[in-house]
Amino acid sequence: MTTDFESSLRRSPTLTSATEVRANRRLTSASALWGSFSYRNAYFFRDSEELPARHHYRAGLSYQRRLTAHASLGAGYAYRTSRLELTEPEPRHFHDIDLGVDYARALPLSRRTQLTFRTGSTVTARDSSDAHDVALLSRTR
């Protein structure tokens, strides 16, 4: 049985909660350091039966350097743990390395409308008792 945040969209009812704290520090006029911590959980229910809950913790640091007026380069690292109650007695551990380019610019027809995108890749290594998996994921925001 798969119960995670993505499957919460298909299950009814599901109770989810998330908390995130972020802080940033401008180092120079063109660079900044970001730190974050988040906690998310999901409780799944089916026919008044409570299913195992999914818990996620994530802490990370990232650095951003402005290249031009509209583009910047970002690099970061995050450590995550995830555990599904009852079926996973020990949490799974993830190490994320994030590299990418950000672009943001106001549209010429409307100065209050902005085009923003981010591209790059994330390398995720998962250590578990089953196996050691490494996946290369592409991301766009």
Side-chain angles (χ1 to χ4, degrees):
M1 168 187 306
T2 302
T3 54
D4 56 19
F5 286 99
E6 289 75 24
S7 67
S8 67
L9 299 174
R10 296 182 296 248
R11 298 188 185 277
S12 178
T14 303
L15 175 64
T16 61
S17 66
T19 301
E20 183 173 17
V21 176
R22 290 186 192 187
N24 71 320
R25 172 80 172 147
R26 185 152 307 276
L27 302 174
T28 67
S29 62
S31 64
L33 186 64
W34 294 81
S36 66
F37 174 80
S38 64
Y39 170 71
R40 299 187 313 168
N41 61 35
Y43 297 95
F44 305 97
F45 302 93
R46 180 180 53 211
D47 300 328
S48 71
E49 171 191 358
E50 184 176 345
L51 299 174
R54 170 71 72 181
H55 303 283
H56 291 273
Y57 296 92
R58 183 181 187 278
L61 284 175
S62 63
Y63 173 79
Q64 191 170 30
R65 172 83 178 166
R66 189 174 67 233
L67 301 174
T68 68
H70 305 292
S72 62
L73 179 66
Y77 170 79
Y79 175 76
R80 292 185 292 136
T81 63
S82 178
R83 184 170 82 88
L84 181 64
E85 289 179 350
L86 302 177
T87 61
E88 297 174 359
E90 295 296 321
R92 294 183 182 192
H93 306 279
F94 301 86
H95 303 276
D96 298 333
I97 299 170
D98 185 13
L99 300 170
V101 175
D102 297 350
Y103 181 82
R105 186 170 192 162
L107 295 177
L109 299 176
S110 172
R111 304 304 286 168
R112 293 191 300 180
T113 304
Q114 191 174 45
L115 171 67
T116 303
F117 70 89
R118 182 175 191 169
T119 184
S121 61
T122 301
V123 177
T124 303
R126 182 185 75 196
D127 298 323
S128 70
S129 59
D130 300 336
H132 181 72
D133 301 326
V134 176
L136 179 63
L137 306 171
S138 178
R139 67 168 167 77
T140 301
R141 256 197 290 182

